[in-house]
Amino acid sequence: MPQLPPGIRRALRQKALAASRRLSTGPEWERHVRHELDLLAPGEAWREAVTEGYHRLYYESGEAGGTWKDTRFLGVTTWKVPLDLWVYQELLAELRPGLIVETGTAHGGSALYLATLCEAIGRGQVVSVDIGHWPDRPAHPRLTYLTASSTDPEVVAQVAERAQGAGTVLVVLDSDHSRDHVLAELRAYAPMVTPGSYLVVEDTNVNGHPVYEAFGPGPMEAVQDFLKERDDFEVDRSREKFLFTFNPGGWLRRRG
Ligand SMILES: C[S@@+](CC[C@H](N)C(=O)[O-])C[C@H]1O[C@@H](n2cnc3c(N)ncnc32)[C@H](O)[C@@H]1O
């Protein structure tokens, strides 16, 4: 139910309290007050407005250099929301992947985070691919960097070879966020994701979902196209349980 304007809510509350005084007690009183108070309960529209408002505030502060642009893991810049990092932690503990593929390394914070979790659970290797040469990336025994475009067929073949026999494979797409590039990545890396594991498409929130309206077709549109092409992946909304994620509709689980 949509949130009622404050004036009406105040009037309804006063009416409910007056009725409770008049009727004093008993089942009639309870029914009446419950009905009146139901009208005051925060509804779905309120929930959406709060979540979206917070998302926008968080994202826009990041663009200005705060929040997500100013987040570090063990001192290394990590362009992620801590709530999403927690979801990754839960995924890794559940799935115990043998290989995690990340496209888009940047400073290496998210790659280091994933490698550190692998070390903590005693399983898994991370391969992170980036087209750029970023200085001073962190080293970790469970982390390998590849420098190339994530859609370069040679790199895709190299990663696919590592995925062979690795056990559970998890893929995270976080490089060039244009629709065409993400769709090409989805087509290239989806076959490596093992049944029951995840293909996470980062930053589906841009292009007005709900932030950065002027972005143009991006990860969300790529996911929509991809899901029309194949039915062995499903959007897992349960991974959005913290209400706010940079990847709405982007936590894709391979069926099976
Ligand atoms: C959003 S950042 C990655 C953030 C990082 N995963 C993190 O959470 O801290 C995107 C990265 O993708 C890289 N990139 C852009 N186009 C690419 C491509 N075609 N292939 C691989 N990496 C690319 C950029 O160099 C940039 O470092």
Side-chain angles (χ1 to χ4, degrees), residues 68 77-80 85 102-111 128-134 137 148-151 172 174-177 181 185 202-203:
W68 60 274
T77 298
T78 309
W79 289 337
K80 293 267 187 293
L85 291 173
E102 176 188 64
T103 67
T105 318
H107 297 275
S110 54
S128 188
V129 187
D130 199 293
I131 201 167
H133 292 271
W134 292 69
R137 277 179 181 154
S149 173
S150 55
T151 50
V172 182
D174 191 20
S175 67
D176 171 346
H177 295 318
H181 183 79
E185 285 187 325
E202 286 277 339
D203 299 297

Short mmCIF file of all heavy atoms in Angstrom, two decimals, residues 68 77-80 85 102-111 128-134 137 148-151 172 174-177 181 185 202-203, ligand 1:
data_model
loop_
_atom_site.label_atom_id
_atom_site.label_comp_id
_atom_site.label_asym_id
_atom_site.label_seq_id
_atom_site.Cartn_x
_atom_site.Cartn_y
_atom_site.Cartn_z
N TRP A 68 31.81 4.48 -2.73
CA TRP A 68 32.42 3.32 -3.42
C TRP A 68 33.76 3.63 -4.07
O TRP A 68 34.59 2.74 -4.26
CB TRP A 68 31.45 2.70 -4.42
CG TRP A 68 30.96 3.59 -5.52
CD1 TRP A 68 29.90 4.45 -5.47
CD2 TRP A 68 31.49 3.69 -6.85
NE1 TRP A 68 29.74 5.08 -6.68
CE2 TRP A 68 30.70 4.63 -7.54
CE3 TRP A 68 32.55 3.06 -7.51
CZ2 TRP A 68 30.94 4.97 -8.88
CZ3 TRP A 68 32.80 3.40 -8.84
CH2 TRP A 68 31.99 4.35 -9.50
N THR A 77 42.31 -0.18 -3.07
CA THR A 77 41.05 0.38 -3.57
C THR A 77 40.19 -0.70 -4.20
O THR A 77 40.63 -1.48 -5.05
CB THR A 77 41.35 1.50 -4.60
OG1 THR A 77 42.06 2.52 -3.89
CG2 THR A 77 40.07 2.09 -5.17
N THR A 78 38.93 -0.73 -3.77
CA THR A 78 37.98 -1.77 -4.19
C THR A 78 36.68 -1.08 -4.57
O THR A 78 36.01 -0.51 -3.71
CB THR A 78 37.70 -2.73 -3.00
OG1 THR A 78 38.95 -3.17 -2.48
CG2 THR A 78 36.86 -3.92 -3.40
N TRP A 79 36.33 -1.11 -5.85
CA TRP A 79 35.14 -0.39 -6.29
C TRP A 79 33.89 -1.26 -6.14
O TRP A 79 33.24 -1.63 -7.12
CB TRP A 79 35.31 0.10 -7.73
CG TRP A 79 36.31 1.22 -7.83
CD1 TRP A 79 36.68 2.08 -6.84
CD2 TRP A 79 37.06 1.61 -8.99
NE1 TRP A 79 37.62 2.99 -7.30
CE2 TRP A 79 37.87 2.71 -8.62
CE3 TRP A 79 37.13 1.14 -10.30
CZ2 TRP A 79 38.72 3.35 -9.51
CZ3 TRP A 79 37.99 1.78 -11.18
CH2 TRP A 79 38.76 2.87 -10.79
N LYS A 80 33.61 -1.59 -4.93
CA LYS A 80 32.45 -2.44 -4.62
C LYS A 80 31.73 -1.87 -3.40
O LYS A 80 32.32 -1.17 -2.58
CB LYS A 80 32.90 -3.85 -4.26
CG LYS A 80 33.53 -4.65 -5.39
CD LYS A 80 32.49 -5.50 -6.10
CE LYS A 80 33.12 -6.42 -7.11
NZ LYS A 80 33.73 -5.73 -8.27
N LEU A 85 30.13 -7.25 -1.24
CA LEU A 85 31.29 -8.06 -0.87
C LEU A 85 30.87 -9.15 0.12
O LEU A 85 31.37 -10.28 0.08
CB LEU A 85 32.39 -7.18 -0.26
CG LEU A 85 33.06 -6.22 -1.25
CD1 LEU A 85 34.02 -5.27 -0.53
CD2 LEU A 85 33.84 -6.99 -2.33
N GLU A 102 37.52 -13.20 -12.77
CA GLU A 102 37.05 -11.81 -12.69
C GLU A 102 37.51 -11.07 -13.93
O GLU A 102 38.69 -11.13 -14.28
CB GLU A 102 37.61 -11.12 -11.44
CG GLU A 102 37.23 -9.64 -11.36
CD GLU A 102 37.94 -8.90 -10.23
OE1 GLU A 102 39.19 -8.78 -10.27
OE2 GLU A 102 37.26 -8.42 -9.32
N THR A 103 36.59 -10.38 -14.61
CA THR A 103 37.02 -9.48 -15.68
C THR A 103 36.92 -8.06 -15.12
O THR A 103 35.92 -7.71 -14.51
CB THR A 103 36.16 -9.63 -16.95
OG1 THR A 103 34.83 -9.18 -16.68
CG2 THR A 103 36.13 -11.07 -17.45
N GLY A 104 37.98 -7.27 -15.33
CA GLY A 104 38.02 -5.92 -14.77
C GLY A 104 38.67 -5.95 -13.40
O GLY A 104 38.02 -6.24 -12.40
N THR A 105 39.97 -5.66 -13.38
CA THR A 105 40.74 -5.75 -12.12
C THR A 105 40.87 -4.39 -11.44
O THR A 105 40.82 -4.29 -10.22
CB THR A 105 42.18 -6.27 -12.40
OG1 THR A 105 42.12 -7.34 -13.34
CG2 THR A 105 42.86 -6.72 -11.14
N ALA A 106 41.12 -3.35 -12.26
CA ALA A 106 41.44 -2.00 -11.77
C ALA A 106 42.59 -2.08 -10.75
O ALA A 106 43.62 -2.67 -11.03
CB ALA A 106 40.20 -1.32 -11.21
N HIS A 107 42.40 -1.55 -9.54
CA HIS A 107 43.49 -1.52 -8.55
C HIS A 107 43.77 -2.89 -7.95
O HIS A 107 44.77 -3.08 -7.28
CB HIS A 107 43.14 -0.54 -7.42
CG HIS A 107 42.99 0.86 -7.89
ND1 HIS A 107 44.06 1.72 -8.02
CD2 HIS A 107 41.90 1.57 -8.28
CE1 HIS A 107 43.63 2.89 -8.47
NE2 HIS A 107 42.32 2.82 -8.63
N GLY A 108 42.82 -3.81 -8.14
CA GLY A 108 43.05 -5.17 -7.62
C GLY A 108 42.39 -5.45 -6.28
O GLY A 108 42.56 -6.54 -5.71
N GLY A 109 41.61 -4.51 -5.77
CA GLY A 109 41.00 -4.70 -4.45
C GLY A 109 40.02 -5.86 -4.40
O GLY A 109 40.04 -6.67 -3.46
N SER A 110 39.15 -5.96 -5.43
CA SER A 110 38.17 -7.05 -5.40
C SER A 110 38.86 -8.40 -5.63
O SER A 110 38.48 -9.42 -5.04
CB SER A 110 37.08 -6.83 -6.45
OG SER A 110 37.63 -6.61 -7.73
N ALA A 111 39.90 -8.40 -6.49
CA ALA A 111 40.64 -9.66 -6.74
C ALA A 111 41.34 -10.11 -5.45
O ALA A 111 41.31 -11.30 -5.10
CB ALA A 111 41.65 -9.44 -7.86
N SER A 128 42.21 -12.79 -12.73
CA SER A 128 41.58 -11.49 -12.99
C SER A 128 42.17 -10.89 -14.26
O SER A 128 43.38 -10.78 -14.41
CB SER A 128 41.80 -10.57 -11.79
OG SER A 128 41.05 -9.39 -11.95
N VAL A 129 41.29 -10.51 -15.18
CA VAL A 129 41.71 -10.04 -16.51
C VAL A 129 41.41 -8.54 -16.64
O VAL A 129 40.29 -8.10 -16.37
CB VAL A 129 40.89 -10.75 -17.62
CG1 VAL A 129 41.42 -10.40 -19.00
CG2 VAL A 129 40.87 -12.26 -17.41
N ASP A 130 42.41 -7.79 -17.08
CA ASP A 130 42.16 -6.35 -17.32
C ASP A 130 42.97 -5.91 -18.53
O ASP A 130 44.09 -6.34 -18.73
CB ASP A 130 42.57 -5.52 -16.10
CG ASP A 130 41.92 -4.14 -16.11
OD1 ASP A 130 42.25 -3.32 -16.99
OD2 ASP A 130 41.07 -3.89 -15.23
N ILE A 131 42.36 -5.03 -19.30
CA ILE A 131 43.01 -4.54 -20.51
C ILE A 131 44.13 -3.55 -20.19
O ILE A 131 45.05 -3.36 -20.99
CB ILE A 131 41.94 -3.89 -21.43
CG1 ILE A 131 42.40 -3.83 -22.87
CG2 ILE A 131 41.50 -2.54 -20.91
CD1 ILE A 131 41.26 -3.49 -23.85
N GLY A 132 44.04 -2.95 -19.01
CA GLY A 132 44.99 -1.88 -18.67
C GLY A 132 46.13 -2.37 -17.80
O GLY A 132 46.04 -3.40 -17.14
N HIS A 133 47.21 -1.58 -17.81
CA HIS A 133 48.35 -1.86 -16.93
C HIS A 133 48.18 -0.98 -15.71
O HIS A 133 48.32 0.24 -15.79
CB HIS A 133 49.68 -1.53 -17.63
CG HIS A 133 49.97 -2.45 -18.76
ND1 HIS A 133 50.67 -3.64 -18.60
CD2 HIS A 133 49.64 -2.38 -20.06
CE1 HIS A 133 50.75 -4.24 -19.77
NE2 HIS A 133 50.13 -3.51 -20.67
N TRP A 134 47.81 -1.56 -14.62
CA TRP A 134 47.62 -0.80 -13.39
C TRP A 134 48.81 -1.06 -12.48
O TRP A 134 49.10 -2.22 -12.18
CB TRP A 134 46.33 -1.22 -12.69
CG TRP A 134 45.08 -0.85 -13.44
CD1 TRP A 134 44.64 -1.38 -14.61
CD2 TRP A 134 44.13 0.15 -13.07
NE1 TRP A 134 43.47 -0.78 -14.98
CE2 TRP A 134 43.12 0.17 -14.05
CE3 TRP A 134 44.02 1.04 -11.99
CZ2 TRP A 134 42.03 1.03 -14.00
CZ3 TRP A 134 42.93 1.89 -11.94
CH2 TRP A 134 41.95 1.89 -12.94
N ARG A 137 49.63 -3.39 -8.19
CA ARG A 137 48.54 -4.29 -7.77
C ARG A 137 49.06 -5.25 -6.70
O ARG A 137 50.21 -5.67 -6.74
CB ARG A 137 48.07 -5.09 -8.97
CG ARG A 137 47.09 -4.34 -9.81
CD ARG A 137 46.71 -5.22 -10.96
NE ARG A 137 45.79 -4.57 -11.85
CZ ARG A 137 45.69 -4.87 -13.13
NH1 ARG A 137 46.45 -5.78 -13.66
NH2 ARG A 137 44.81 -4.25 -13.88
N ALA A 148 44.89 -8.17 -20.93
CA ALA A 148 44.32 -8.29 -22.29
C ALA A 148 42.86 -7.90 -22.20
O ALA A 148 42.32 -7.72 -21.11
CB ALA A 148 44.42 -9.73 -22.76
N SER A 149 42.24 -7.79 -23.36
CA SER A 149 40.79 -7.59 -23.33
C SER A 149 40.13 -8.91 -22.92
O SER A 149 40.54 -9.98 -23.37
CB SER A 149 40.28 -7.17 -24.71
OG SER A 149 38.86 -7.14 -24.65
N SER A 150 39.12 -8.79 -22.11
CA SER A 150 38.45 -10.00 -21.60
C SER A 150 37.77 -10.79 -22.72
O SER A 150 37.45 -11.96 -22.54
CB SER A 150 37.42 -9.61 -20.55
OG SER A 150 36.53 -8.66 -21.09
N THR A 151 37.53 -10.15 -23.87
CA THR A 151 36.86 -10.86 -24.96
C THR A 151 37.85 -11.33 -26.03
O THR A 151 37.43 -11.90 -27.04
CB THR A 151 35.77 -9.98 -25.60
OG1 THR A 151 36.33 -8.71 -25.91
CG2 THR A 151 34.58 -9.81 -24.67
N VAL A 172 32.80 -13.41 -12.49
CA VAL A 172 32.37 -12.05 -12.15
C VAL A 172 32.75 -11.13 -13.31
O VAL A 172 33.92 -11.03 -13.66
CB VAL A 172 33.08 -11.54 -10.87
CG1 VAL A 172 32.57 -10.14 -10.50
CG2 VAL A 172 32.93 -12.51 -9.72
N ASP A 174 33.15 -7.47 -14.61
CA ASP A 174 33.22 -6.11 -14.06
C ASP A 174 34.22 -5.28 -14.87
O ASP A 174 35.06 -4.59 -14.30
CB ASP A 174 33.63 -6.19 -12.58
CG ASP A 174 33.48 -4.86 -11.86
OD1 ASP A 174 32.74 -3.99 -12.35
OD2 ASP A 174 34.11 -4.69 -10.80
N SER A 175 34.16 -5.40 -16.21
CA SER A 175 35.14 -4.64 -17.02
C SER A 175 34.46 -3.48 -17.74
O SER A 175 33.93 -2.58 -17.10
CB SER A 175 35.87 -5.60 -17.97
OG SER A 175 35.01 -6.12 -18.96
N ASP A 176 34.47 -3.49 -19.04
CA ASP A 176 33.79 -2.46 -19.85
C ASP A 176 32.28 -2.71 -19.69
O ASP A 176 31.81 -3.81 -19.98
CB ASP A 176 34.28 -2.65 -21.29
CG ASP A 176 33.51 -1.81 -22.31
OD1 ASP A 176 32.44 -1.28 -21.98
OD2 ASP A 176 34.00 -1.72 -23.45
N HIS A 177 31.56 -1.69 -19.24
CA HIS A 177 30.15 -1.89 -18.91
C HIS A 177 29.17 -1.58 -20.04
O HIS A 177 27.98 -1.44 -19.80
CB HIS A 177 29.78 -1.06 -17.67
CG HIS A 177 30.49 -1.50 -16.43
ND1 HIS A 177 30.66 -2.82 -16.09
CD2 HIS A 177 31.08 -0.79 -15.43
CE1 HIS A 177 31.32 -2.90 -14.96
NE2 HIS A 177 31.60 -1.69 -14.53
N HIS A 181 29.78 -5.12 -24.99
CA HIS A 181 30.93 -5.81 -24.41
C HIS A 181 30.47 -6.83 -23.37
O HIS A 181 30.95 -7.98 -23.36
CB HIS A 181 31.91 -4.81 -23.78
CG HIS A 181 33.13 -5.48 -23.24
ND1 HIS A 181 34.17 -5.90 -24.05
CD2 HIS A 181 33.45 -5.88 -21.99
CE1 HIS A 181 35.09 -6.52 -23.31
NE2 HIS A 181 34.66 -6.51 -22.05
N GLU A 185 31.00 -10.83 -23.30
CA GLU A 185 31.58 -11.55 -22.15
C GLU A 185 30.65 -12.66 -21.67
O GLU A 185 31.09 -13.78 -21.35
CB GLU A 185 31.82 -10.58 -20.97
CG GLU A 185 33.00 -9.66 -21.13
CD GLU A 185 33.26 -8.86 -19.86
OE1 GLU A 185 32.30 -8.49 -19.17
OE2 GLU A 185 34.43 -8.60 -19.57
N GLU A 202 28.26 -7.28 -12.81
CA GLU A 202 28.36 -6.09 -11.96
C GLU A 202 27.78 -4.85 -12.64
O GLU A 202 27.78 -4.74 -13.87
CB GLU A 202 29.84 -5.83 -11.62
CG GLU A 202 30.43 -6.81 -10.61
CD GLU A 202 30.12 -6.41 -9.17
OE1 GLU A 202 29.83 -5.23 -8.92
OE2 GLU A 202 30.16 -7.30 -8.30
N ASP A 203 27.33 -3.94 -11.83
CA ASP A 203 26.89 -2.59 -12.26
C ASP A 203 25.68 -2.59 -13.21
O ASP A 203 25.58 -1.74 -14.10
CB ASP A 203 28.07 -1.80 -12.84
CG ASP A 203 29.15 -1.61 -11.80
OD1 ASP A 203 28.90 -0.96 -10.78
OD2 ASP A 203 30.25 -2.16 -11.99
C1 LIG B 1 34.96 -1.17 -12.71
S1 LIG B 1 36.64 -1.41 -12.95
C2 LIG B 1 36.96 -2.89 -12.10
C3 LIG B 1 36.80 -2.75 -10.62
C4 LIG B 1 37.31 -3.89 -9.78
N1 LIG B 1 36.76 -5.17 -10.16
C5 LIG B 1 36.94 -3.61 -8.34
O1 LIG B 1 35.86 -4.05 -7.90
O2 LIG B 1 37.71 -2.93 -7.66
C6 LIG B 1 36.71 -1.79 -14.64
C7 LIG B 1 38.06 -2.24 -15.19
O3 LIG B 1 37.81 -2.85 -16.44
C8 LIG B 1 38.91 -2.63 -17.28
N2 LIG B 1 38.50 -2.85 -18.68
C9 LIG B 1 37.88 -2.00 -19.54
N3 LIG B 1 37.67 -2.58 -20.71
C10 LIG B 1 38.14 -3.85 -20.60
C11 LIG B 1 38.22 -4.97 -21.48
N4 LIG B 1 37.77 -4.91 -22.73
N5 LIG B 1 38.75 -6.11 -21.01
C12 LIG B 1 39.23 -6.21 -19.76
N6 LIG B 1 39.20 -5.18 -18.88
C13 LIG B 1 38.68 -4.03 -19.30
C14 LIG B 1 39.38 -1.22 -16.94
O4 LIG B 1 40.74 -1.09 -17.24
C15 LIG B 1 39.08 -1.15 -15.44
O5 LIG B 1 40.25 -1.45 -14.71
#
